[in-house]
């Protein structure tokens, strides 16, 4: 494995590329995980209700995202790249929707992008703006740099003994000691941000066809919104 | 000392398989883009593909066989959607011809109806061949093509109010 800094040092926005297991790097050379650590600026719970500014932004995005755009989203370069990548790693995007398509479908079914708390809203805004999904982990529960590797025989998703078991060979986001999230799937329950979490590790996946600028923009959007008091 | 002959064969085989997988991934990308283009262009006349019969296990590094199956499945979908798109184009072409005919010789297409959806347009409008001035036009052979105003109102018809409510 190639060890590199997975998250930037706290105090500045410096997204850093994570490591990739050799077999992943050989097979999917353009796949990258980018991460950044952020100190939550607000005093209240990070999963609590969003500020008026954030909910207004969601409303504005809801108005901008109408039926015609929803249908055409799969043709836009960034969402299309994620669709292609899904096929290449054995996921069917018509069964397990890509994050942007899932968000758009929700928008159509519910009539708008509904607020689900500050963290969830911030991640959603970044996704809609850039097409790049961002996930968050509790930094306290992350051990060293993040990377991508296939899961090992008998491994669990997270460090808790009650964590769900993983079949071997699943592509996961991992730290130095355990798998933390399935690629485009479930995050280890014990490693998810809790309401009292003050430091978050944000990460995004750059797949072939997605410029690094979009991934950094998505991370920056989340970073800036969460850092704000 | 370099690799032995058998080791070299193994390396060559692995390189060959890797190149084949790369080529399959490129094919998958091309097919997916073509499928998305058809679905986006022809919506709502052609519906987006439903989930395939094969269950989606989870993200993994796919071997040659799995990639081939994925490519074949996608190729099958693309082929089916190409056929549906061609059928749709032919359907719209015939509808345009019919509309031309209706406009040129309305008398030959008495009471014909042609929804604008058949022409590949949105909305609920319908082209109709109707007699001018009702019964008089029917008897006199005066026919005309009219486009109905289209979709029903979103809140239904205006409620009828009795005289008592006007006060």
């Amino acid at each position: 494995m190639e060890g590199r800094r997975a998250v930037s040092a706290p105090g500045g926005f410096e997204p850093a590329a994570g490591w990739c297991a050799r077999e992943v790097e050989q097979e999917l050379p353009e796949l990258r995980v980018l991460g950044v650590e952020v100190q939550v600026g607000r005093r209240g719970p990070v999963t609590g209700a969003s500020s008026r500014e954030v909910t207004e932004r969601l409303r504005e995005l809801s108005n901008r995202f109408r039926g015609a755009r929803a249908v055409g989203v799969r043709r836009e370069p960034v969402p299309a790249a994620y669709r292609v990548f899904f096929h290449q790693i054995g996921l069917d995007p018509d069964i397990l929707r890509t994050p942007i398509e899932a968000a758009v479908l929700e928008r159509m079914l519910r009539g708008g992008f509904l607020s689900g708390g500050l963290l969830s809203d911030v991640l959603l805004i970044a996704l809609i703006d850039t097409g790049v999904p961002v996930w968050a982990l509790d930094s306290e529960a992350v051990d060293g740099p993040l990377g991508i590797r296939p899961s090992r025989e008998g491994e669990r998703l997270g460090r808790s003994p009650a964590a769900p078991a993983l079949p071997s060979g699943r592509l996961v986001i991992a730290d130095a000691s355990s798998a933390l999230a399935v690629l485009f799937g479930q995050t280890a329950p014990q490693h998810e941000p809790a309401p009292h979490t003050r430091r978050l590790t944000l990460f995004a996946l750059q797949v072939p066809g997605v410029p690094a600028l979009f991934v950094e923009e998505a991370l920056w959007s989340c970073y800036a919104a969460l850092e704000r008091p | 000392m370099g690799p032995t002959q058998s080791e070299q064969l193994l390396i060559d085989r692995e390189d060959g398989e890797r190149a084949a997988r790369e080529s399959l991934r490129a094919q998958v990308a091309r097919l997916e883009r073509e499928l998305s283009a058809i679905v986006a262009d022809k919506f709502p006349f052609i519906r987006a593909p439903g989930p395939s019969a094969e269950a989606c296990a989870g993200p993994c590094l796919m071997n040659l066989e799995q990639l081939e199956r994925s490519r074949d499945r996608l190729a099958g979908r693309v082929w089916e959607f190409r056929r549906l798109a061609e059928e749709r184009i032919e359907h719209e072409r015939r509808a345009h011809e019919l509309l031309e005919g209706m406009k040129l010789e309305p008398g030959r297409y008495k009471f014909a109806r042609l929804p604008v959806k058949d022409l590949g347009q949105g909305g609920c409008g319908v082209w109709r061949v109707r007699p001018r001035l009702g019964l008089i036009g029917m008897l006199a052979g005066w026919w005309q093509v009219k486009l109905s105003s289209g979709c029903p109102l979103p809140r239904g018809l205006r409620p009828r109010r009795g005289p008592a409510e006007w006060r």
Side-chain angles (χ1 to χ4, degrees):
Chain A
M1 280 180 205
E2 186 196 331
R4 286 166 74 181
R5 231 167 11 118
V7 290
S8 65
F13 179 74
E14 269 183 70
W19 49 265
C20 264
R22 198 148 62 95
E23 59 264 49
V24 177
E25 209 165 60
Q26 278 178 346
E27 282 299 307
L28 305 163
E30 290 175 71
L31 175 64
R32 265 176 204 89
V33 56
L34 266 89
V36 69
E37 203 172 286
V38 58
Q39 185 75 36
V40 179
R42 79 173 336 190
R43 286 189 176 184
V46 71
T47 51
S50 292
S51 61
R52 209 176 68 178
E53 197 182 321
V54 172
T55 48
E56 269 175 16
R57 178 88 181 109
L58 272 182
R59 198 173 310 128
E60 186 193 317
L61 287 170
S62 300
N63 291 337
R64 211 197 292 164
F65 233 105
R66 292 179 183 279
R69 172 125 190 252
V71 174
V73 79
R74 60 196 290 158
R75 277 182 88 174
E76 291 175 15
V78 174
Y82 282 98
R83 270 189 83 85
V84 167
F85 186 71
F86 264 45
H87 282 293
Q88 293 174 342
I89 56 169
L91 299 173
D92 185 342
D94 292 315
I95 299 178
L96 179 73
R97 295 191 188 280
T98 57
I100 183 72
E101 285 183 35
V104 168
L105 186 68
E106 280 290 294
R107 152 72 186 88
M108 292 301 132
L109 294 175
R110 292 168 173 233
F113 294 115
L114 304 187
S115 176
L118 177 67
L119 180 60
S120 153
D121 292 353
V122 162
L123 302 180
L124 180 60
I125 289 170
L127 172 66
I128 301 159
D129 273 340
T130 62
V132 177
V134 180
W135 293 267
L137 293 166
D138 182 350
S139 293
E140 300 296 327
V142 175
D143 174 17
L146 291 182
I148 307 168
R149 65 166 168 81
S151 61
R152 302 176 190 123
E153 194 70 50
E155 191 173 10
R156 290 183 178 278
L157 184 62
R159 282 188 277 281
S160 159
L166 284 169
S168 97
R170 255 316 151 266
L171 284 174
V172 293
I173 298 289
D175 62 7
S177 37
S178 64
L180 303 178
V182 176
L183 233 63
F184 299 103
Q186 196 187 356
T187 309
Q190 302 293 318
H191 300 259
E192 283 176 346
H196 59 269
T197 303
R198 304 318 304 161
R199 270 195 319 130
L200 296 170
T201 298
L202 304 171
F203 69 91
L205 288 166
Q206 184 184 357
V207 304
V210 176
L213 189 69
F214 280 70
V215 185
E216 286 174 15
E217 173 69 24
L219 286 170
W220 164 250
S221 157
C222 299
Y223 182 91
L226 290 166
E227 198 192 34
R228 209 170 295 142
Chain B
M1 206 174 97
T4 62
Q5 199 179 357
S6 60
E7 282 171 344
Q8 189 57 51
L9 275 173
L10 201 67
I11 292 167
D12 289 349
R13 194 183 149 186
E14 276 177 14
D15 286 350
E17 277 198 9
R18 190 170 300 129
R21 288 196 295 271
E22 211 176 297
S23 159
L24 282 168
R25 277 194 281 268
Q27 290 175 42
V28 163
R30 191 178 49 77
L31 289 166
E32 168 54 41
R33 290 203 177 95
E34 186 179 347
L35 184 63
S36 285
I38 296 173
V39 171
D41 282 345
K42 293 291 169 197
F43 186 85
F45 307 113
I46 295 178
R47 297 189 64 153
S52 62
E54 280 191 41
C56 207
C60 59
L61 293 176
M62 293 169 90
N63 60 29
L64 196 62
E65 195 189 328
Q66 288 169 322
L67 272 169
E68 267 177 350
R69 270 211 304 270
S70 171
R71 189 269 319 264
D72 292 348
R73 203 166 49 234
L74 204 50
R77 273 193 219 173
V78 170
W79 184 84
E80 191 195 329
F81 273 74
R82 264 190 218 144
R83 185 181 58 75
L84 289 172
E86 278 165 17
E87 280 176 12
R88 181 69 209 175
I89 290 166
E90 180 57 25
H91 179 81
E92 286 174 13
R93 192 189 59 77
R94 281 201 299 265
H96 275 105
E97 276 178 10
L98 176 62
L99 181 62
E100 282 300 304
M102 282 159 65
K103 282 178 178 172
L104 284 172
E105 295 176 86
R108 277 188 60 197
Y109 298 90
K110 291 170 188 168
F111 298 108
R113 291 177 83 255
L114 179 64
V116 292
K117 277 184 182 163
D118 287 356
L119 300 162
Q121 296 164 5
C124 315
V126 179
W127 290 95
R128 294 165 200 260
V129 179
R130 304 175 69 169
R132 232 180 256 271
L133 303 173
L135 196 61
I136 300 169
M138 260 173 82
L139 295 171
W142 299 336
W143 295 88
Q144 63 179 348
V145 181
K146 293 204 85 167
L147 175 64
S148 76
S149 56
C151 299
L153 296 169
R155 288 177 195 156
L157 291 172
R158 191 160 48 112
R160 288 187 178 192
R161 288 182 292 188
E165 292 170 62
W166 283 98
R167 267 181 265 134

